[in-house]
Short mmCIF file of all heavy atoms in Angstrom, two decimals:
data_model
loop_
_atom_site.label_atom_id
_atom_site.label_comp_id
_atom_site.label_asym_id
_atom_site.label_seq_id
_atom_site.Cartn_x
_atom_site.Cartn_y
_atom_site.Cartn_z
N MET Q 23 52.23 -7.44 -15.56
CA MET Q 23 51.57 -8.55 -14.85
C MET Q 23 52.59 -9.74 -14.67
O MET Q 23 53.70 -9.68 -15.21
CB MET Q 23 50.31 -8.98 -15.57
CG MET Q 23 49.61 -10.11 -14.94
SD MET Q 23 48.03 -9.45 -14.36
CE MET Q 23 47.32 -10.79 -13.54
N GLU Q 24 52.16 -10.68 -14.04
CA GLU Q 24 52.95 -11.89 -13.78
C GLU Q 24 53.36 -12.61 -15.06
O GLU Q 24 52.54 -12.66 -16.00
CB GLU Q 24 52.10 -12.85 -12.92
CG GLU Q 24 52.77 -13.99 -12.38
CD GLU Q 24 53.63 -13.73 -11.23
OE1 GLU Q 24 53.43 -12.70 -10.51
OE2 GLU Q 24 54.56 -14.52 -10.99
N LYS Q 25 54.53 -13.17 -15.09
CA LYS Q 25 54.87 -14.03 -16.21
C LYS Q 25 53.86 -15.22 -16.12
O LYS Q 25 53.19 -15.39 -15.17
CB LYS Q 25 56.25 -14.63 -16.04
CG LYS Q 25 57.37 -13.69 -16.37
CD LYS Q 25 58.66 -14.50 -16.40
CE LYS Q 25 59.79 -13.71 -15.81
NZ LYS Q 25 61.00 -14.49 -15.73
N THR Q 26 53.79 -15.92 -17.18
CA THR Q 26 52.84 -17.08 -17.24
C THR Q 26 53.15 -18.03 -16.03
O THR Q 26 54.23 -18.62 -16.02
CB THR Q 26 52.88 -17.80 -18.55
OG1 THR Q 26 52.66 -16.86 -19.59
CG2 THR Q 26 51.85 -18.87 -18.62
N ILE Q 27 52.21 -18.15 -15.13
CA ILE Q 27 52.38 -19.03 -14.04
C ILE Q 27 51.13 -19.89 -13.97
O ILE Q 27 50.03 -19.44 -14.21
CB ILE Q 27 52.57 -18.27 -12.66
CG1 ILE Q 27 52.65 -19.31 -11.53
CG2 ILE Q 27 51.44 -17.31 -12.46
CD1 ILE Q 27 53.05 -18.56 -10.20
N LYS Q 28 51.26 -21.16 -13.81
CA LYS Q 28 50.16 -22.09 -13.75
C LYS Q 28 49.32 -21.84 -12.50
O LYS Q 28 49.85 -21.46 -11.46
CB LYS Q 28 50.62 -23.53 -13.73
CG LYS Q 28 51.25 -23.96 -15.06
CD LYS Q 28 51.55 -25.45 -14.93
CE LYS Q 28 52.13 -25.96 -16.24
NZ LYS Q 28 52.35 -27.43 -16.15
N TYR Q 29 48.01 -22.05 -12.65
CA TYR Q 29 47.11 -21.89 -11.54
C TYR Q 29 47.55 -22.72 -10.35
O TYR Q 29 47.60 -22.22 -9.23
CB TYR Q 29 45.71 -22.30 -12.02
CG TYR Q 29 44.70 -22.26 -10.88
CD1 TYR Q 29 44.04 -21.09 -10.55
CD2 TYR Q 29 44.34 -23.42 -10.20
CE1 TYR Q 29 43.11 -21.01 -9.52
CE2 TYR Q 29 43.38 -23.34 -9.19
CZ TYR Q 29 42.81 -22.16 -8.85
OH TYR Q 29 41.88 -22.10 -7.86
N GLU Q 30 47.91 -23.96 -10.61
CA GLU Q 30 48.31 -24.83 -9.49
C GLU Q 30 49.54 -24.32 -8.78
O GLU Q 30 49.63 -24.41 -7.56
CB GLU Q 30 48.61 -26.26 -10.03
CG GLU Q 30 47.37 -26.94 -10.60
CD GLU Q 30 47.04 -26.58 -12.02
OE1 GLU Q 30 47.73 -25.82 -12.67
OE2 GLU Q 30 45.92 -26.98 -12.47
N ASP Q 31 50.46 -23.75 -9.54
CA ASP Q 31 51.65 -23.18 -8.90
C ASP Q 31 51.34 -21.97 -8.05
O ASP Q 31 51.91 -21.77 -6.97
CB ASP Q 31 52.71 -22.82 -9.97
CG ASP Q 31 53.27 -24.05 -10.71
OD1 ASP Q 31 53.23 -25.18 -10.09
OD2 ASP Q 31 53.72 -23.88 -11.81
N ALA Q 32 50.43 -21.18 -8.53
CA ALA Q 32 50.00 -19.97 -7.78
C ALA Q 32 49.36 -20.40 -6.46
O ALA Q 32 49.59 -19.85 -5.40
CB ALA Q 32 49.08 -19.13 -8.60
N VAL Q 33 48.50 -21.45 -6.56
CA VAL Q 33 47.79 -21.92 -5.34
C VAL Q 33 48.81 -22.48 -4.34
O VAL Q 33 48.72 -22.23 -3.16
CB VAL Q 33 46.72 -22.96 -5.72
CG1 VAL Q 33 46.22 -23.68 -4.45
CG2 VAL Q 33 45.64 -22.34 -6.45
N LYS Q 34 49.76 -23.23 -4.84
CA LYS Q 34 50.81 -23.80 -3.94
C LYS Q 34 51.58 -22.67 -3.26
O LYS Q 34 51.87 -22.78 -2.01
CB LYS Q 34 51.75 -24.68 -4.74
CG LYS Q 34 51.21 -26.03 -5.06
CD LYS Q 34 52.21 -26.87 -5.88
CE LYS Q 34 51.59 -28.18 -6.36
NZ LYS Q 34 52.49 -28.94 -7.18
N GLU Q 35 51.93 -21.62 -4.00
CA GLU Q 35 52.66 -20.53 -3.40
C GLU Q 35 51.77 -19.78 -2.37
O GLU Q 35 52.25 -19.46 -1.30
CB GLU Q 35 53.09 -19.53 -4.49
CG GLU Q 35 53.98 -18.50 -3.93
CD GLU Q 35 54.57 -17.54 -4.98
OE1 GLU Q 35 54.55 -17.90 -6.21
OE2 GLU Q 35 55.13 -16.47 -4.62
N LEU Q 36 50.48 -19.62 -2.64
CA LEU Q 36 49.56 -19.04 -1.67
C LEU Q 36 49.49 -19.93 -0.44
O LEU Q 36 49.57 -19.38 0.67
CB LEU Q 36 48.17 -18.91 -2.29
CG LEU Q 36 47.93 -17.66 -3.12
CD1 LEU Q 36 46.64 -17.80 -3.88
CD2 LEU Q 36 47.90 -16.40 -2.25
N GLU Q 37 49.40 -21.22 -0.58
CA GLU Q 37 49.32 -22.10 0.56
C GLU Q 37 50.59 -21.97 1.37
O GLU Q 37 50.53 -22.01 2.63
CB GLU Q 37 49.16 -23.55 0.07
CG GLU Q 37 47.76 -23.79 -0.41
CD GLU Q 37 47.63 -25.17 -1.11
OE1 GLU Q 37 48.62 -25.84 -1.39
OE2 GLU Q 37 46.46 -25.61 -1.31
N SER Q 38 51.75 -21.81 0.72
CA SER Q 38 53.00 -21.65 1.44
C SER Q 38 53.01 -20.36 2.31
O SER Q 38 53.47 -20.36 3.44
CB SER Q 38 54.17 -21.67 0.48
OG SER Q 38 55.37 -21.42 1.10
N ILE Q 39 52.51 -19.32 1.70
CA ILE Q 39 52.45 -18.01 2.40
C ILE Q 39 51.59 -18.16 3.58
O ILE Q 39 51.94 -17.72 4.71
CB ILE Q 39 52.02 -16.90 1.46
CG1 ILE Q 39 53.04 -16.62 0.39
CG2 ILE Q 39 51.73 -15.62 2.25
CD1 ILE Q 39 52.59 -15.71 -0.77
N VAL Q 40 50.41 -18.75 3.41
CA VAL Q 40 49.47 -18.87 4.53
C VAL Q 40 50.05 -19.74 5.61
O VAL Q 40 49.99 -19.38 6.82
CB VAL Q 40 48.15 -19.49 4.06
CG1 VAL Q 40 47.26 -19.89 5.23
CG2 VAL Q 40 47.43 -18.50 3.13
N ARG Q 41 50.70 -20.83 5.27
CA ARG Q 41 51.31 -21.72 6.25
C ARG Q 41 52.41 -20.96 7.06
O ARG Q 41 52.45 -21.04 8.31
CB ARG Q 41 51.96 -22.96 5.57
CG ARG Q 41 52.45 -24.01 6.50
CD ARG Q 41 52.91 -25.27 5.78
NE ARG Q 41 53.75 -25.02 4.55
CZ ARG Q 41 53.32 -25.14 3.33
NH1 ARG Q 41 52.10 -25.46 3.04
NH2 ARG Q 41 54.11 -24.87 2.28
N ARG Q 42 53.20 -20.17 6.40
CA ARG Q 42 54.27 -19.44 7.11
C ARG Q 42 53.60 -18.37 8.03
O ARG Q 42 54.13 -18.13 9.12
CB ARG Q 42 55.21 -18.78 6.14
CG ARG Q 42 56.16 -19.89 5.52
CD ARG Q 42 57.20 -19.30 4.59
NE ARG Q 42 56.47 -18.96 3.33
CZ ARG Q 42 56.81 -18.01 2.52
NH1 ARG Q 42 57.86 -17.26 2.73
NH2 ARG Q 42 56.14 -17.79 1.36
N MET Q 43 52.53 -17.79 7.57
CA MET Q 43 51.85 -16.80 8.41
C MET Q 43 51.26 -17.50 9.66
O MET Q 43 51.38 -16.97 10.76
CB MET Q 43 50.76 -16.10 7.60
CG MET Q 43 51.25 -15.10 6.62
SD MET Q 43 49.93 -14.44 5.58
CE MET Q 43 48.97 -13.57 6.76
N GLU Q 44 50.60 -18.60 9.44
CA GLU Q 44 50.01 -19.34 10.57
C GLU Q 44 51.02 -19.83 11.56
O GLU Q 44 50.77 -19.88 12.80
CB GLU Q 44 49.20 -20.51 10.05
CG GLU Q 44 47.98 -20.12 9.31
CD GLU Q 44 47.21 -21.30 8.73
OE1 GLU Q 44 47.79 -22.40 8.49
OE2 GLU Q 44 46.00 -21.10 8.44
N ASN Q 45 52.22 -20.12 11.10
CA ASN Q 45 53.32 -20.63 11.98
C ASN Q 45 54.16 -19.50 12.55
O ASN Q 45 55.22 -19.80 13.08
CB ASN Q 45 54.14 -21.69 11.24
CG ASN Q 45 53.38 -22.90 10.94
OD1 ASN Q 45 52.49 -23.29 11.67
ND2 ASN Q 45 53.74 -23.56 9.83
N ASN Q 46 53.77 -18.29 12.28
CA ASN Q 46 54.53 -17.08 12.73
C ASN Q 46 56.02 -17.15 12.25
O ASN Q 46 56.95 -16.78 12.98
CB ASN Q 46 54.47 -16.98 14.25
CG ASN Q 46 53.12 -16.71 14.77
OD1 ASN Q 46 52.38 -15.91 14.17
ND2 ASN Q 46 52.68 -17.40 15.80
N GLU Q 47 56.17 -17.57 11.00
CA GLU Q 47 57.54 -17.67 10.48
C GLU Q 47 57.93 -16.38 9.72
O GLU Q 47 59.04 -16.26 9.29
CB GLU Q 47 57.58 -18.85 9.48
CG GLU Q 47 57.40 -20.18 10.16
CD GLU Q 47 57.34 -21.33 9.18
OE1 GLU Q 47 57.67 -21.17 7.99
OE2 GLU Q 47 56.95 -22.46 9.62
N LEU Q 48 57.05 -15.39 9.64
CA LEU Q 48 57.36 -14.18 8.90
C LEU Q 48 57.52 -13.04 9.87
O LEU Q 48 56.71 -12.82 10.74
CB LEU Q 48 56.18 -13.88 7.92
CG LEU Q 48 55.89 -14.84 6.86
CD1 LEU Q 48 54.66 -14.47 6.07
CD2 LEU Q 48 57.10 -15.01 5.90
N ASP Q 49 58.66 -12.39 9.70
CA ASP Q 49 58.80 -11.14 10.52
C ASP Q 49 58.00 -10.00 9.92
O ASP Q 49 57.44 -10.04 8.80
CB ASP Q 49 60.28 -10.76 10.64
CG ASP Q 49 60.96 -10.45 9.29
OD1 ASP Q 49 60.27 -9.98 8.39
OD2 ASP Q 49 62.14 -10.70 9.20
N ILE Q 50 57.90 -8.94 10.67
CA ILE Q 50 57.03 -7.83 10.21
C ILE Q 50 57.44 -7.23 8.84
O ILE Q 50 56.59 -6.85 8.07
CB ILE Q 50 56.91 -6.74 11.34
CG1 ILE Q 50 55.77 -5.78 11.08
CG2 ILE Q 50 58.25 -5.94 11.41
CD1 ILE Q 50 54.46 -6.39 11.33
N ASP Q 51 58.70 -7.24 8.56
CA ASP Q 51 59.21 -6.69 7.28
C ASP Q 51 58.78 -7.54 6.12
O ASP Q 51 58.38 -7.08 5.09
CB ASP Q 51 60.71 -6.53 7.31
CG ASP Q 51 61.14 -5.50 8.32
OD1 ASP Q 51 60.43 -4.46 8.47
OD2 ASP Q 51 62.17 -5.70 9.01
N SER Q 52 58.93 -8.91 6.27
CA SER Q 52 58.59 -9.77 5.17
C SER Q 52 57.12 -10.00 5.09
O SER Q 52 56.56 -10.34 4.02
CB SER Q 52 59.33 -11.07 5.28
OG SER Q 52 59.00 -11.77 6.50
N LEU Q 53 56.34 -9.76 6.17
CA LEU Q 53 54.95 -9.98 6.20
C LEU Q 53 54.24 -9.07 5.13
O LEU Q 53 53.43 -9.51 4.35
CB LEU Q 53 54.36 -9.71 7.59
CG LEU Q 53 52.81 -9.87 7.72
CD1 LEU Q 53 52.44 -11.29 7.40
CD2 LEU Q 53 52.43 -9.48 9.06
N SER Q 54 54.64 -7.83 5.08
CA SER Q 54 54.08 -6.93 4.07
C SER Q 54 54.35 -7.35 2.69
O SER Q 54 53.44 -7.35 1.84
CB SER Q 54 54.63 -5.49 4.37
OG SER Q 54 54.19 -4.62 3.37
N THR Q 55 55.58 -7.75 2.43
CA THR Q 55 55.95 -8.21 1.11
C THR Q 55 55.14 -9.49 0.70
O THR Q 55 54.64 -9.56 -0.42
CB THR Q 55 57.41 -8.52 1.03
OG1 THR Q 55 58.18 -7.34 1.40
CG2 THR Q 55 57.87 -8.99 -0.32
N GLU Q 56 55.01 -10.41 1.60
CA GLU Q 56 54.29 -11.65 1.33
C GLU Q 56 52.82 -11.37 1.18
O GLU Q 56 52.20 -12.04 0.37
CB GLU Q 56 54.53 -12.62 2.47
CG GLU Q 56 55.92 -13.18 2.59
CD GLU Q 56 56.37 -13.97 1.37
OE1 GLU Q 56 55.57 -14.83 0.91
OE2 GLU Q 56 57.47 -13.75 0.85
N LEU Q 57 52.25 -10.45 1.88
CA LEU Q 57 50.84 -10.14 1.73
C LEU Q 57 50.59 -9.51 0.36
O LEU Q 57 49.58 -9.82 -0.30
CB LEU Q 57 50.37 -9.17 2.84
CG LEU Q 57 50.11 -9.81 4.20
CD1 LEU Q 57 49.82 -8.77 5.24
CD2 LEU Q 57 49.05 -10.89 4.12
N LYS Q 58 51.51 -8.72 -0.12
CA LYS Q 58 51.39 -8.09 -1.46
C LYS Q 58 51.45 -9.18 -2.52
O LYS Q 58 50.73 -9.17 -3.48
CB LYS Q 58 52.47 -7.01 -1.65
CG LYS Q 58 52.20 -5.74 -0.86
CD LYS Q 58 53.33 -4.77 -1.05
CE LYS Q 58 53.11 -3.57 -0.12
NZ LYS Q 58 54.23 -2.64 -0.15
N ARG Q 59 52.39 -10.11 -2.31
CA ARG Q 59 52.55 -11.19 -3.28
C ARG Q 59 51.28 -12.12 -3.25
O ARG Q 59 50.77 -12.46 -4.31
CB ARG Q 59 53.75 -12.10 -2.87
CG ARG Q 59 53.98 -13.30 -3.71
CD ARG Q 59 54.30 -12.96 -5.14
NE ARG Q 59 54.49 -14.15 -5.89
CZ ARG Q 59 54.33 -14.24 -7.20
NH1 ARG Q 59 54.11 -13.19 -7.92
NH2 ARG Q 59 54.56 -15.40 -7.82
N ALA Q 60 50.72 -12.34 -2.05
CA ALA Q 60 49.53 -13.12 -1.99
C ALA Q 60 48.38 -12.45 -2.68
O ALA Q 60 47.57 -13.07 -3.37
CB ALA Q 60 49.16 -13.39 -0.49
N GLN Q 61 48.26 -11.10 -2.58
CA GLN Q 61 47.21 -10.36 -3.27
C GLN Q 61 47.32 -10.51 -4.75
O GLN Q 61 46.38 -10.71 -5.46
CB GLN Q 61 47.30 -8.90 -2.83
CG GLN Q 61 46.20 -8.06 -3.31
CD GLN Q 61 46.26 -6.61 -2.77
OE1 GLN Q 61 47.40 -6.12 -2.55
NE2 GLN Q 61 45.16 -5.94 -2.60
N THR Q 62 48.60 -10.40 -5.21
CA THR Q 62 48.80 -10.58 -6.71
C THR Q 62 48.41 -11.99 -7.14
O THR Q 62 47.79 -12.19 -8.21
CB THR Q 62 50.31 -10.37 -6.98
OG1 THR Q 62 50.63 -9.01 -6.67
CG2 THR Q 62 50.63 -10.58 -8.46
N LEU Q 63 48.80 -12.96 -6.35
CA LEU Q 63 48.47 -14.40 -6.70
C LEU Q 63 46.99 -14.63 -6.65
O LEU Q 63 46.47 -15.35 -7.54
CB LEU Q 63 49.19 -15.37 -5.72
CG LEU Q 63 50.69 -15.41 -5.93
CD1 LEU Q 63 51.31 -16.18 -4.73
CD2 LEU Q 63 51.06 -16.08 -7.24
N ILE Q 64 46.25 -14.07 -5.74
CA ILE Q 64 44.81 -14.21 -5.65
C ILE Q 64 44.15 -13.66 -6.88
O ILE Q 64 43.26 -14.25 -7.48
CB ILE Q 64 44.28 -13.63 -4.35
CG1 ILE Q 64 44.73 -14.42 -3.16
CG2 ILE Q 64 42.73 -13.45 -4.39
CD1 ILE Q 64 44.47 -13.73 -1.81
N LYS Q 65 44.63 -12.46 -7.28
CA LYS Q 65 44.01 -11.82 -8.52
C LYS Q 65 44.27 -12.71 -9.68
O LYS Q 65 43.37 -12.94 -10.51
CB LYS Q 65 44.59 -10.43 -8.68
CG LYS Q 65 44.01 -9.75 -9.89
CD LYS Q 65 44.54 -8.39 -10.12
CE LYS Q 65 43.96 -7.65 -11.32
NZ LYS Q 65 43.40 -8.40 -12.39
N LEU Q 66 45.46 -13.23 -9.82
CA LEU Q 66 45.88 -14.05 -10.92
C LEU Q 66 44.93 -15.34 -10.94
O LEU Q 66 44.40 -15.67 -12.03
CB LEU Q 66 47.32 -14.49 -10.79
CG LEU Q 66 47.90 -15.29 -11.94
CD1 LEU Q 66 49.28 -14.79 -12.28
CD2 LEU Q 66 47.95 -16.73 -11.58
N CYS Q 67 44.75 -15.93 -9.81
CA CYS Q 67 43.89 -17.10 -9.74
C CYS Q 67 42.45 -16.80 -10.08
O CYS Q 67 41.79 -17.54 -10.87
CB CYS Q 67 43.99 -17.74 -8.34
SG CYS Q 67 45.51 -18.54 -7.99
N LYS Q 68 41.95 -15.70 -9.59
CA LYS Q 68 40.55 -15.29 -9.92
C LYS Q 68 40.42 -15.08 -11.43
O LYS Q 68 39.42 -15.48 -12.01
CB LYS Q 68 40.15 -14.01 -9.15
CG LYS Q 68 39.85 -14.23 -7.72
CD LYS Q 68 39.39 -12.89 -7.13
CE LYS Q 68 38.96 -13.06 -5.73
NZ LYS Q 68 38.54 -11.76 -5.12
N ASP Q 69 41.43 -14.34 -12.01
CA ASP Q 69 41.35 -14.14 -13.47
C ASP Q 69 41.37 -15.44 -14.25
O ASP Q 69 40.61 -15.58 -15.24
CB ASP Q 69 42.53 -13.28 -13.93
CG ASP Q 69 42.41 -11.80 -13.39
OD1 ASP Q 69 41.37 -11.42 -12.87
OD2 ASP Q 69 43.42 -11.12 -13.42
N LYS Q 70 42.23 -16.38 -13.85
CA LYS Q 70 42.28 -17.65 -14.58
C LYS Q 70 40.99 -18.43 -14.38
O LYS Q 70 40.53 -19.03 -15.35
CB LYS Q 70 43.49 -18.48 -14.05
CG LYS Q 70 44.84 -17.99 -14.57
CD LYS Q 70 45.90 -18.87 -14.09
CE LYS Q 70 47.24 -18.43 -14.61
NZ LYS Q 70 47.50 -18.78 -16.01
N LEU Q 71 40.39 -18.38 -13.22
CA LEU Q 71 39.12 -19.08 -12.98
C LEU Q 71 37.97 -18.49 -13.77
O LEU Q 71 37.15 -19.16 -14.37
CB LEU Q 71 38.76 -19.12 -11.49
CG LEU Q 71 39.61 -20.02 -10.60
CD1 LEU Q 71 39.25 -19.80 -9.15
CD2 LEU Q 71 39.39 -21.48 -10.98
N SER Q 72 37.98 -17.15 -13.86
CA SER Q 72 36.94 -16.44 -14.65
C SER Q 72 37.04 -16.77 -16.11
O SER Q 72 36.06 -17.05 -16.83
CB SER Q 72 37.05 -14.95 -14.49
OG SER Q 72 36.70 -14.58 -13.16
N LYS Q 73 38.30 -16.84 -16.63
CA LYS Q 73 38.53 -17.14 -18.05
C LYS Q 73 38.12 -18.57 -18.32
O LYS Q 73 37.46 -18.81 -19.33
CB LYS Q 73 40.04 -16.94 -18.36
CG LYS Q 73 40.34 -17.23 -19.80
CD LYS Q 73 41.76 -16.97 -20.10
CE LYS Q 73 42.11 -17.35 -21.57
NZ LYS Q 73 43.51 -17.21 -21.90
N ALA Q 74 38.52 -19.48 -17.43
CA ALA Q 74 38.13 -20.89 -17.66
C ALA Q 74 36.61 -21.07 -17.59
O ALA Q 74 35.97 -21.77 -18.43
CB ALA Q 74 38.79 -21.78 -16.57
N ASP Q 75 35.95 -20.34 -16.71
CA ASP Q 75 34.43 -20.39 -16.58
C ASP Q 75 33.79 -19.94 -17.86
O ASP Q 75 32.87 -20.56 -18.43
CB ASP Q 75 34.00 -19.54 -15.41
CG ASP Q 75 32.51 -19.66 -15.12
OD1 ASP Q 75 31.98 -20.78 -15.05
OD2 ASP Q 75 31.89 -18.59 -15.08
N LYS Q 76 34.28 -18.86 -18.42
CA LYS Q 76 33.74 -18.30 -19.67
C LYS Q 76 33.94 -19.29 -20.80
O LYS Q 76 33.02 -19.47 -21.65
CB LYS Q 76 34.42 -16.94 -20.00
CG LYS Q 76 33.92 -15.81 -19.10
CD LYS Q 76 34.66 -14.54 -19.46
CE LYS Q 76 34.31 -13.45 -18.47
NZ LYS Q 76 35.07 -12.22 -18.67
N GLU Q 77 35.13 -19.90 -20.85
CA GLU Q 77 35.41 -20.87 -21.93
C GLU Q 77 34.50 -22.09 -21.81
O GLU Q 77 34.01 -22.58 -22.83
CB GLU Q 77 36.88 -21.25 -21.88
CG GLU Q 77 37.79 -20.13 -22.38
CD GLU Q 77 39.31 -20.45 -22.21
OE1 GLU Q 77 39.61 -21.59 -21.85
OE2 GLU Q 77 40.10 -19.57 -22.50
N VAL Q 78 34.33 -22.59 -20.61
CA VAL Q 78 33.44 -23.76 -20.39
C VAL Q 78 31.99 -23.42 -20.77
O VAL Q 78 31.39 -24.17 -21.51
CB VAL Q 78 33.53 -24.25 -18.96
CG1 VAL Q 78 32.40 -25.23 -18.69
CG2 VAL Q 78 34.89 -24.83 -18.66
N LYS Q 79 31.49 -22.27 -20.36
CA LYS Q 79 30.15 -21.81 -20.72
C LYS Q 79 29.99 -21.71 -22.22
O LYS Q 79 28.96 -22.12 -22.81
CB LYS Q 79 29.79 -20.51 -20.02
CG LYS Q 79 29.54 -20.73 -18.54
CD LYS Q 79 29.22 -19.39 -17.90
CE LYS Q 79 28.93 -19.64 -16.42
NZ LYS Q 79 28.71 -18.39 -15.69
N LYS Q 80 31.00 -21.17 -22.88
CA LYS Q 80 30.99 -21.02 -24.34
C LYS Q 80 30.88 -22.40 -25.00
O LYS Q 80 30.08 -22.60 -25.95
CB LYS Q 80 32.27 -20.26 -24.82
CG LYS Q 80 32.28 -19.96 -26.29
CD LYS Q 80 33.50 -19.14 -26.63
CE LYS Q 80 33.67 -18.80 -28.06
NZ LYS Q 80 34.83 -18.07 -28.40
N VAL Q 81 31.71 -23.35 -24.59
CA VAL Q 81 31.74 -24.67 -25.15
C VAL Q 81 30.40 -25.38 -24.90
O VAL Q 81 29.81 -25.98 -25.83
CB VAL Q 81 32.90 -25.58 -24.58
CG1 VAL Q 81 32.71 -26.99 -24.94
CG2 VAL Q 81 34.22 -25.01 -25.08
N LEU Q 82 29.84 -25.25 -23.70
CA LEU Q 82 28.61 -25.82 -23.37
C LEU Q 82 27.46 -25.26 -24.19
O LEU Q 82 26.53 -25.98 -24.59
CB LEU Q 82 28.29 -25.76 -21.86
CG LEU Q 82 29.20 -26.59 -20.96
CD1 LEU Q 82 28.86 -26.29 -19.50
CD2 LEU Q 82 29.08 -28.07 -21.32
N SER Q 83 27.50 -23.96 -24.39
CA SER Q 83 26.40 -23.36 -25.16
C SER Q 83 26.46 -23.79 -26.66
O SER Q 83 25.43 -23.95 -27.27
CB SER Q 83 26.44 -21.85 -25.04
OG SER Q 83 27.58 -21.33 -25.71
N LYS Q 84 27.64 -24.00 -27.15
CA LYS Q 84 27.74 -24.49 -28.54
C LYS Q 84 27.28 -25.94 -28.68
O LYS Q 84 26.71 -26.29 -29.69
CB LYS Q 84 29.22 -24.39 -29.00
CG LYS Q 84 29.65 -23.00 -29.34
CD LYS Q 84 31.06 -22.96 -29.90
CE LYS Q 84 31.47 -21.58 -30.25
NZ LYS Q 84 32.83 -21.51 -30.79
N SER Q 85 27.53 -26.71 -27.64
CA SER Q 85 27.04 -28.12 -27.72
C SER Q 85 25.55 -28.30 -27.56
O SER Q 85 25.00 -29.31 -27.99
CB SER Q 85 27.73 -28.94 -26.63
OG SER Q 85 27.25 -28.60 -25.38
N GLU Q 86 24.90 -27.26 -27.05
CA GLU Q 86 23.41 -27.32 -26.94
C GLU Q 86 22.74 -26.87 -28.20
O GLU Q 86 21.51 -27.03 -28.32
CB GLU Q 86 23.00 -26.38 -25.79
CG GLU Q 86 23.43 -26.96 -24.39
CD GLU Q 86 23.02 -26.03 -23.29
OE1 GLU Q 86 22.55 -24.92 -23.54
OE2 GLU Q 86 23.29 -26.39 -22.18
N GLU Q 87 23.43 -26.31 -29.14
CA GLU Q 87 22.82 -25.82 -30.36
C GLU Q 87 22.53 -26.94 -31.32
O GLU Q 87 23.00 -28.00 -31.33
CB GLU Q 87 23.75 -24.80 -31.09
CG GLU Q 87 23.94 -23.58 -30.27
CD GLU Q 87 24.93 -22.60 -30.88
OE1 GLU Q 87 25.55 -22.88 -31.93
OE2 GLU Q 87 25.07 -21.53 -30.35
#
């Protein structure tokens, strides 16, 4: 898996990929590579969000006890 990358950095990289796609800055060869990278970053972000959600719910459930 990815080395430790911050959520914010992953989002910035995703935004950069999207911007380059929207501006037609990627040729067909790099498009495939960038799409694979975007897919990896999206999974990483989802995983981080899920983990944070679980931790918040855990903390909130303890504070209600």
Side-chain angles (χ1 to χ4, degrees):
M23 182 110 185
E24 187 78 22
K25 284 190 221 177
T26 305
I27 181 173
K28 290 184 176 182
Y29 176 83
E30 294 82 6
D31 294 336
V33 169
K34 285 180 186 177
E35 188 174 344
L36 276 169
E37 289 171 344
S38 173
I39 293 169
V40 170
R41 187 174 45 256
R42 286 183 285 151
M43 288 174 62
E44 290 175 339
N45 293 329
N46 295 317
E47 296 174 12
L48 299 174
D49 60 31
I50 195 72
D51 295 321
S52 61
L53 181 61
S54 175
T55 302
E56 292 296 315
L57 286 174
K58 288 176 186 174
R59 176 64 179 159
Q61 187 176 31
T62 299
L63 291 167
I64 289 168
K65 181 179 181 336
L66 184 138
C67 288
K68 283 183 176 181
D69 291 347
K70 286 183 178 282
L71 287 171
S72 292
K73 182 179 177 185
D75 183 53
K76 287 177 186 175
E77 289 174 4
V78 167
K79 286 179 180 177
K80 184 177 178 181
V81 169
L82 292 176
S83 70
K84 285 184 179 182
S85 68
E86 292 176 356
E87 294 176 357

